[in-house]
Amino acid sequence: MRKIPTNSPSPAKAELPLDLTGPHITVSASAAHRLYQALCEMIVSGLVRPGEPLPPSRALAQQTGFGRNAVVTAYERLIADGFAEATVGSGTFVAARIPARVAEANKPKAVVEAPRQGAFALGCTHIDERAVQRFRAFVGRRMRAFGPEHLHYGDPRGSRELRAAIADHLLSARGLRCDPDQIMLTSGTLHALRIVLSAILKAGDQVWCEDPGYPIARQTIGQCGYRTVPIPVDAHGLHVARGRAAAPSARAAYVTPSHQFPLGVQMSMPRRLELLDWAKQAGAFVLEDDYDSEFRYDGAPLMSLAGIDHLQRVIYLGTFAKTWFPGLRIGYCALPERLIADVTAARAALDRFPGTLMEGAVADMLNSGAFAANLKRVRKLYREARDALAATLEAKSDGALSVPVPSQGLHLVARFDPSVDPSRAAEAKRAAGAEGWLLADTYSRARPLPGFVLGFSGHTVPQLVASAERLARESRSVLRARSSARRA
């Protein structure tokens, strides 16, 4: 915090020279953002001097007619963006040095998007502008309160503050009760896989993997020196009996039970209990990748495997890459108590401890309710995107594609008839210039089904509709070519 000199400028004016209706104001923006725009315009236009005090939040709320919370939020963003400074006990002041104004800086967007990714790319996210403002303010506040915790090597599991916030989130969102000591922060799911497996397995140990399944996780497990065993997936999830027959002495199973990747099926309760029984009998562990459980559109989700198991044989893997944004690079795992010491030691040996700068701001997002509010808003966007994509593919493919509408998640699967060669899907995808994945590429040993794995999160509805029309057209085209070849 800066010190205010004894000869500081005159007390705050009774009213600020604010323009709340000019061209710099976005009428559709929130009250807090409109006030922020007006304050920025006033400051950069020189209507107030550097170092000049701003009115208390109550006084500005009375002047503008906005709620006090809107004023506080606007002030927080001014401070975070460098237009103002705050001193405990003295108030808020125009910054001594005003940052250069960037073109379009004050024009809000309803959503922050990932424009470089084509439609259907997986792993893209939306962030509501209000959530960005809150996060920016939290980051700024944490940086201003920079403390000694950043100046030395910390707990290999990460800050207890964020671990406690995650534990609260898991209890409310997934019915998983765990102590913050059981949480470990990571840079993502694959990082967590590497750490955990190095602590519980020996080189050459077998790991069950879903077939079809998440190929990058399968590759990671193999590159770590463990043997992946493909286990078929049916309408009830991973086929445990087939796993017992193929590799009864496997030491771990990697599964996506809440929303199987890529098929989207939900593991049935009998199959979940069967999997947990196997793990207990075999002395194995189940790695539950709950990558998109927060995005449920129809009905209530089943309790997590870890919640059913009470973290005895299940290791829970979560990430903020889908619920917040991939560039944050923060994930987490929830561990059985018996594994805390071994996994912590493995983490310390691999990369010491996670980064500390963003932990406090993420904890603030969770504890303030801003994280949950953003989820609620973007969940509505994703549902609209899902419906538009599915409807367009069904309507425009003229029966060439079957498109089950998923009740959860951030992607859907569009399939050809099983008799169609998977190479036809590759032809259609290439001709349409579509991103996303080929369904066949997610298979390991089982006979691959022809079709596509298409992401709908992080993309605008017009972009999805236009791309879906092209993909549907090319899908019809490759089927017509196939029929013509047969007749010839």
Short mmCIF file of all heavy atoms in Angstrom, two decimals, residues 417-421 424 476-488:
data_model
loop_
_atom_site.label_atom_id
_atom_site.label_comp_id
_atom_site.label_asym_id
_atom_site.label_seq_id
_atom_site.Cartn_x
_atom_site.Cartn_y
_atom_site.Cartn_z
N ASP A 417 -23.66 -45.29 -39.01
CA ASP A 417 -24.07 -46.68 -38.77
C ASP A 417 -22.82 -47.53 -38.55
O ASP A 417 -21.80 -47.30 -39.21
CB ASP A 417 -24.86 -47.20 -39.98
CG ASP A 417 -25.40 -48.59 -39.75
OD1 ASP A 417 -24.67 -49.57 -40.02
OD2 ASP A 417 -26.55 -48.69 -39.30
N PRO A 418 -22.85 -48.49 -37.62
CA PRO A 418 -21.65 -49.29 -37.35
C PRO A 418 -21.08 -50.01 -38.56
O PRO A 418 -19.89 -50.37 -38.58
CB PRO A 418 -22.15 -50.29 -36.31
CG PRO A 418 -23.30 -49.62 -35.63
CD PRO A 418 -23.96 -48.80 -36.70
N SER A 419 -21.89 -50.22 -39.60
CA SER A 419 -21.39 -50.92 -40.79
C SER A 419 -20.48 -50.04 -41.64
O SER A 419 -19.78 -50.53 -42.52
CB SER A 419 -22.57 -51.40 -41.65
OG SER A 419 -23.32 -50.29 -42.13
N VAL A 420 -20.49 -48.75 -41.40
CA VAL A 420 -19.67 -47.82 -42.19
C VAL A 420 -18.21 -47.93 -41.74
O VAL A 420 -17.92 -47.99 -40.55
CB VAL A 420 -20.18 -46.37 -42.01
CG1 VAL A 420 -19.26 -45.38 -42.73
CG2 VAL A 420 -21.61 -46.25 -42.53
N ASP A 421 -17.31 -47.94 -42.68
CA ASP A 421 -15.89 -47.99 -42.34
C ASP A 421 -15.46 -46.68 -41.67
O ASP A 421 -15.83 -45.60 -42.14
CB ASP A 421 -15.06 -48.21 -43.62
CG ASP A 421 -13.62 -48.54 -43.29
OD1 ASP A 421 -12.87 -47.61 -42.92
OD2 ASP A 421 -13.24 -49.72 -43.42
N ARG A 424 -14.41 -43.50 -43.53
CA ARG A 424 -15.37 -42.56 -44.09
C ARG A 424 -15.53 -41.35 -43.20
O ARG A 424 -15.69 -40.21 -43.67
CB ARG A 424 -16.72 -43.25 -44.31
CG ARG A 424 -16.70 -44.41 -45.28
CD ARG A 424 -16.42 -43.94 -46.69
NE ARG A 424 -16.44 -45.05 -47.65
CZ ARG A 424 -16.24 -44.91 -48.95
NH1 ARG A 424 -16.00 -43.71 -49.44
NH2 ARG A 424 -16.27 -45.95 -49.74
N ARG A 476 -23.04 -36.78 -45.45
CA ARG A 476 -23.96 -37.28 -46.46
C ARG A 476 -23.21 -37.64 -47.73
O ARG A 476 -23.46 -38.66 -48.38
CB ARG A 476 -25.02 -36.23 -46.80
CG ARG A 476 -25.98 -35.89 -45.68
CD ARG A 476 -27.22 -35.17 -46.21
NE ARG A 476 -26.90 -34.11 -47.16
CZ ARG A 476 -26.72 -32.83 -46.84
NH1 ARG A 476 -26.81 -32.47 -45.57
NH2 ARG A 476 -26.46 -31.92 -47.77
N SER A 477 -22.24 -36.80 -48.08
CA SER A 477 -21.50 -36.99 -49.33
C SER A 477 -20.71 -38.29 -49.31
O SER A 477 -20.71 -39.04 -50.31
CB SER A 477 -20.57 -35.80 -49.56
OG SER A 477 -19.79 -35.98 -50.72
N VAL A 478 -20.02 -38.58 -48.20
CA VAL A 478 -19.20 -39.80 -48.18
C VAL A 478 -20.08 -41.04 -48.19
O VAL A 478 -19.69 -42.09 -48.75
CB VAL A 478 -18.24 -39.82 -46.98
CG1 VAL A 478 -17.26 -38.67 -47.03
CG2 VAL A 478 -18.98 -39.84 -45.65
N LEU A 479 -21.28 -40.95 -47.62
CA LEU A 479 -22.18 -42.11 -47.66
C LEU A 479 -22.72 -42.32 -49.07
O LEU A 479 -22.88 -43.45 -49.53
CB LEU A 479 -23.33 -41.92 -46.67
CG LEU A 479 -23.00 -42.09 -45.19
CD1 LEU A 479 -24.28 -42.18 -44.37
CD2 LEU A 479 -22.16 -43.36 -44.96
N ARG A 480 -23.02 -41.22 -49.77
CA ARG A 480 -23.47 -41.37 -51.16
C ARG A 480 -22.37 -41.98 -52.03
O ARG A 480 -22.63 -42.84 -52.87
CB ARG A 480 -23.88 -40.00 -51.72
CG ARG A 480 -25.21 -39.51 -51.23
CD ARG A 480 -25.74 -38.40 -52.14
NE ARG A 480 -24.84 -37.25 -52.15
CZ ARG A 480 -24.94 -36.21 -51.33
NH1 ARG A 480 -25.91 -36.18 -50.42
NH2 ARG A 480 -24.10 -35.20 -51.43
N ALA A 481 -21.14 -41.55 -51.81
CA ALA A 481 -20.02 -42.11 -52.57
C ALA A 481 -19.86 -43.59 -52.28
O ALA A 481 -19.57 -44.39 -53.18
CB ALA A 481 -18.73 -41.35 -52.23
N ARG A 482 -20.08 -43.96 -51.03
CA ARG A 482 -19.98 -45.38 -50.64
C ARG A 482 -21.05 -46.20 -51.33
O ARG A 482 -20.80 -47.28 -51.85
CB ARG A 482 -20.12 -45.48 -49.12
CG ARG A 482 -20.18 -46.88 -48.55
CD ARG A 482 -20.15 -46.81 -47.02
NE ARG A 482 -20.32 -48.12 -46.41
CZ ARG A 482 -21.47 -48.54 -45.85
NH1 ARG A 482 -22.54 -47.75 -45.88
NH2 ARG A 482 -21.55 -49.74 -45.31
N SER A 483 -22.28 -45.65 -51.39
CA SER A 483 -23.37 -46.37 -52.04
C SER A 483 -23.13 -46.50 -53.54
O SER A 483 -23.40 -47.56 -54.13
CB SER A 483 -24.70 -45.63 -51.78
OG SER A 483 -24.99 -45.58 -50.39
N SER A 484 -22.63 -45.44 -54.12
CA SER A 484 -22.33 -45.50 -55.57
C SER A 484 -21.28 -46.52 -55.88
O SER A 484 -21.37 -47.27 -56.87
CB SER A 484 -21.88 -44.11 -56.05
OG SER A 484 -22.89 -43.15 -55.86
N ALA A 485 -20.26 -46.62 -55.02
CA ALA A 485 -19.19 -47.59 -55.24
C ALA A 485 -19.73 -49.01 -55.14
O ALA A 485 -19.31 -49.90 -55.90
CB ALA A 485 -18.08 -47.35 -54.22
N ARG A 486 -20.66 -49.22 -54.22
CA ARG A 486 -21.23 -50.56 -54.06
C ARG A 486 -22.03 -50.95 -55.29
O ARG A 486 -21.98 -52.09 -55.77
CB ARG A 486 -22.13 -50.62 -52.83
CG ARG A 486 -21.36 -50.74 -51.52
CD ARG A 486 -22.32 -50.86 -50.35
NE ARG A 486 -21.65 -51.19 -49.13
CZ ARG A 486 -22.28 -51.28 -47.95
NH1 ARG A 486 -23.58 -51.10 -47.88
NH2 ARG A 486 -21.60 -51.60 -46.87
N ARG A 487 -22.83 -50.00 -55.79
CA ARG A 487 -23.65 -50.31 -56.99
C ARG A 487 -22.79 -50.58 -58.21
O ARG A 487 -23.09 -51.42 -59.05
CB ARG A 487 -24.62 -49.14 -57.28
CG ARG A 487 -25.75 -49.04 -56.28
CD ARG A 487 -26.82 -48.11 -56.82
NE ARG A 487 -26.34 -46.75 -57.00
CZ ARG A 487 -26.38 -45.81 -56.07
NH1 ARG A 487 -26.92 -46.11 -54.87
NH2 ARG A 487 -25.92 -44.61 -56.29
N ALA A 488 -21.64 -49.86 -58.26
CA ALA A 488 -20.72 -50.07 -59.39
C ALA A 488 -20.07 -51.43 -59.31
O ALA A 488 -19.80 -52.09 -60.30
CB ALA A 488 -19.66 -48.98 -59.42
#
